[in-house]
């Protein structure tokens, strides 16, 4: 415990301590982690999947709420403005999500001030962190390995985001699951390149007479230069015959391997296929809303729920949680439909007393207006409190619709 306390209370002016602390963040790859990092760089399918998830999660607004209303507190700025001195909230969450999808695990350590208040969240190198279980208390600690030594940190001081895993305390890397698929895909690509190299235009140049080796080289160079300069057009001269060698290009079925790879990557990362480039032409405005709904419900909701659970448990005290304070990602922005559908939805909500006008304006990034913080009912948009207090009467009272002869509402 004294080592943990010393790690959080050391002064930044200490060169030795600062150096020892900073090594926890320096990437130090193992053989497997290097393969994971390499897959991100060499596989455009993996890059598309990881960047899609990282960008989606990091772009979601996150707020500290109490009873459904945003609140300001001493800790809210950590995730809404600046988690540490080097990162914005967007960069912080994007890096965590990238680590989670490459290594299977992402870690951020809580840094405290002298009053034991959280002052920063620092992302750790996943290769330097290992969850362990205390043999006596059975509680989870995190072994943080630096070049100057190892420190054990209690689980309440480490934000840990992970994929599923058999132990429950450490996730499995999706890239490890896909390793066979990626190796096969790389092998097919290499084979295709070799075949394409062998499919270049080849010719047999026949001459009626024997010529010296020097003359042969001169004729070959002249032949090649003429072929390049004239876009592949050749002229047979007297005493010379040109015969093209037939070359077979790669089998068209080889390209099906790319589709299989995309399907398996999408399955492991629980992404819709069109989000990693497969079947993108089949997406239209008519089904875009449903596709995004599936993406939000099937992919993003479980991920942000994990983030919220970690933040609520480890950034809030028990007293704060009991008072109704919690972190919340706003997924509504991703569920917005086209302008016409949003307008109809907003109008229905305002006229039926669901939404306040200023709430709708906030969702559309518009400033509030005077009188927009109350609920309304239609006929025609009387304040709801006046209806409840029966302050509307006589000619202004809402009346039931009447039916015309054709059966339509008047």
């Amino acid at each position: 415990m004294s080592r943990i306390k010393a790690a959080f209370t050391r002064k930044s002016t200490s060169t030795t301590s600062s150096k020892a602390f900073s090594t926890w963040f320096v990437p130090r790859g193992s053989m497997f982690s290097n393969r994971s990092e390499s897959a991100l760089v060499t596989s455009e399918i993996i890059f598309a999947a990881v960047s899609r998830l990282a960008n989606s999660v990091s772009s979601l607004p996150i707020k500290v709420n109490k009873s459904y209303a945003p609140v300001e507190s001493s800790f809210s700025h950590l995730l809404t403005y600046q988690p540490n001195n080097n990162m914005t909230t967007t960069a912080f969450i994007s890096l965590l999500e990238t680590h989670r999808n490459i290594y299977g695990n992402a870690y951020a350590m809580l840094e405290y001030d002298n009053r034991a208040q959280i002052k920063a969240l620092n992302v750790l190198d996943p290769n330097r962190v290992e969850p362990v279980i205390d043999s006596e208390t059975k509680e989870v600690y995190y072994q943080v390995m630096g070049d100057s030594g190892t420190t054990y940190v209690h689980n309440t001081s480490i934000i840990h985001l992970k994929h599923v895993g058999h132990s429950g305390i450490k996730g499995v890397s999706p890239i490890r699951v896909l390793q066979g698929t990626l190796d096969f895909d790389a092998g097919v690509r290499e084979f295709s390149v070799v075949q394409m190299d062998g499919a270049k235009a080849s010719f047999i140049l026949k001459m009626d007479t024997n010529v010296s080796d020097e003359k042969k080289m001169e004729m070959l160079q002249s032949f090649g230069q003429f072929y390049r300069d004239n876009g592949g057009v050749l002229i047979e001269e007297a005493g010379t015959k040109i015969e093209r060698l037939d070359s077979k290009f790669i089998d068209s079925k080889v390209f099906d391997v790319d589709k299989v790879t995309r399907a398996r990557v999408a399955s492991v990362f629980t992404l819709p296929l069109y989000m990693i480039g497969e079947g993108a032409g089949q997406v239209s405005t008519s089904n875009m809303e449903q596709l995004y709904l599936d993406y939000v419900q099937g992919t993003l909701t479980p991920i942000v729920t994990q983030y919220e659970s970690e933040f609520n448990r480890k950034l809030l005290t028990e007293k704060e949680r009991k008072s109704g304070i919690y972190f919340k990602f706003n997924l509504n922005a991703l569920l917005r439909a086209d302008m016409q559908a949003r307008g109809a939805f907003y109008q229905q909500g305002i006229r039926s007393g669901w939404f306040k006008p200023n709430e709708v304006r906030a969702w559309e990034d518009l400033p509030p207006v005077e009188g927009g913080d109350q609920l309304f009912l239609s006929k025609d948009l009387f304040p709801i409190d006046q209806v409840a207090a029966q302050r509307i009467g006589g000619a202004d009272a809402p009346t039931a619709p009447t039916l015309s002869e054709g059966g339509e509402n008047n």
Side-chain angles (χ1 to χ4, degrees), residues 54-55 57-59 79 81 83 87-96:
N55 291 337
V57 177
S58 63
S59 64
L79 287 178
Y81 174 61
M87 290 183 175
T88 63
T89 300
T90 301
F92 173 76
I93 295 181
S94 178
L95 182 58
L96 285 178

Side-chain angles (χ1 to χ4, degrees), residues 272-339:
L273 267 173
Y274 78 93
M275 286 194 168
I276 54 175
E278 180 63 28
Q282 302 174 7
V283 179
S284 63
T285 55
S286 61
N287 62 356
M288 177 61 73
E289 185 176 355
Q290 184 59 46
L291 291 173
Y292 256 90
L293 181 62
D294 293 341
Y295 173 56
V296 171
Q297 293 180 341
T299 304
L300 290 184
T301 298
I303 295 175
V304 300
T305 300
Q306 183 181 172
Y307 276 82
E308 292 170 350
S309 300
E310 283 289 295
F311 294 158
N312 290 334
R313 178 173 180 259
K314 298 175 180 179
L315 299 182
L316 302 178
T317 64
E318 184 178 357
K319 181 180 179 180
E320 291 167 339
R321 290 194 295 270
K322 288 183 177 179
S323 69
I325 297 176
Y326 60 95
F327 287 95
K328 184 66 177 178
F329 283 89
N330 183 9
L331 289 168
N332 291 332
L334 295 179
L335 296 176
R336 293 178 183 173
D338 57 84
M339 185 66 71

Side-chain angles (χ1 to χ4, degrees), residues 127-140:
N127 297 314
R128 295 176 177 267
V129 183
E130 186 68 27
V132 294
I133 299 179
D134 188 292
S135 59
E136 297 181 1
T137 64
K138 306 303 180 184
E139 292 187 335
V140 175

Side-chain angles (χ1 to χ4, degrees), residues 6-8 10-12 14-28 86 109 111 122-126 128-129 144-149 151:
F8 292 116
R10 58 168 60 102
K11 296 181 179 180
S12 60
S14 173
T15 304
T16 303
S17 298
S18 177
K19 181 179 179 181
F21 187 82
S22 65
T23 56
W24 299 351
F25 308 97
V26 177
R28 182 182 65 178
N86 300 317
M109 186 166 65
E111 184 179 354
N122 298 297
V123 180
L124 300 177
D125 174 17
R128 295 176 177 267
V129 183
V144 184
M145 295 166 281
D147 293 342
S148 300
T151 299

Side-chain angles (χ1 to χ4, degrees), residues 348-370:
Q348 184 180 12
I350 292 176
R351 298 183 69 88
S352 302
W354 305 346
F355 303 142
K356 299 175 183 178
N358 280 344
E359 290 176 333
V360 173
R361 292 179 66 85
W363 295 333
E364 294 295 326
D365 296 322
L366 296 172
V369 296
E370 185 177 355

Side-chain angles (χ1 to χ4, degrees), residues 153-403:
V153 183
H154 191 263
N155 67 82
T156 54
S157 293
I158 294 281
I159 301 291
H160 183 191
L161 303 157
K162 55 184 178 291
H163 276 273
V164 296
H166 61 85
S167 66
I169 62 173
K170 189 173 183 180
V172 174
S173 169
I175 296 180
R176 183 177 182 180
V177 177
L178 291 165
Q179 200 59 61
T181 299
L182 296 176
D183 288 343
F184 180 72
D185 183 72
V188 171
R189 288 171 182 251
E190 183 178 355
F191 174 74
S192 301
V193 170
V194 172
Q195 278 198 314
M196 291 177 67
D197 285 341
K200 295 179 180 179
S202 301
F203 301 89
I204 296 178
L205 188 60
K206 296 182 178 180
M207 292 170 285
D208 292 340
T209 60
N210 294 327
V211 295
S212 64
D213 293 340
E214 183 178 351
K215 186 64 175 177
K216 289 179 183 178
M217 292 301 300
E218 182 180 345
M219 293 179 66
L220 286 174
Q221 291 177 1
S222 176
F223 177 83
Q225 186 65 40
F226 188 89
Y227 180 84
R228 290 189 295 269
D229 293 345
N230 294 277
V233 178
L234 298 174
I235 299 176
E236 286 188 352
E237 297 181 357
T240 304
K241 185 177 181 181
I242 301 173
E243 181 179 335
R244 179 175 181 132
L245 291 176
D246 292 332
S247 299
K248 293 183 179 180
F249 284 90
I250 57 176
D251 191 339
S252 60
K253 292 184 179 180
V254 172
F255 294 103
D256 292 339
V257 174
D258 186 71
K259 294 184 178 180
V260 173
T261 301
R262 291 182 185 275
R264 291 179 177 176
V265 170
S267 176
V268 170
F269 284 99
T270 63
L271 281 170
L273 267 173
Y274 78 93
M275 286 194 168
I276 54 175
E278 180 63 28
Q282 302 174 7
V283 179
S284 63
T285 55
S286 61
N287 62 356
M288 177 61 73
E289 185 176 355
Q290 184 59 46
L291 291 173
Y292 256 90
L293 181 62
D294 293 341
Y295 173 56
V296 171
Q297 293 180 341
T299 304
L300 290 184
T301 298
I303 295 175
V304 300
T305 300
Q306 183 181 172
Y307 276 82
E308 292 170 350
S309 300
E310 283 289 295
F311 294 158
N312 290 334
R313 178 173 180 259
K314 298 175 180 179
L315 299 182
L316 302 178
T317 64
E318 184 178 357
K319 181 180 179 180
E320 291 167 339
R321 290 194 295 270
K322 288 183 177 179
S323 69
I325 297 176
Y326 60 95
F327 287 95
K328 184 66 177 178
F329 283 89
N330 183 9
L331 289 168
N332 291 332
L334 295 179
L335 296 176
R336 293 178 183 173
D338 57 84
M339 185 66 71
Q340 182 178 359
R342 290 209 311 272
F345 178 64
Y346 291 157
Q347 183 184 37
Q348 184 180 12
I350 292 176
R351 298 183 69 88
S352 302
W354 305 346
F355 303 142
K356 299 175 183 178
N358 280 344
E359 290 176 333
V360 173
R361 292 179 66 85
W363 295 333
E364 294 295 326
D365 296 322
L366 296 172
V369 296
E370 185 177 355
D373 289 320
Q374 56 183 338
L375 294 173
F376 291 87
L377 285 176
S378 57
K379 179 43 189 179
D380 261 313
L381 298 185
F382 288 109
I384 194 171
D385 56 348
Q386 294 183 25
V387 176
Q390 297 183 353
R391 292 167 57 185
I392 298 177
D396 293 332
T399 57
T402 60
L403 296 178

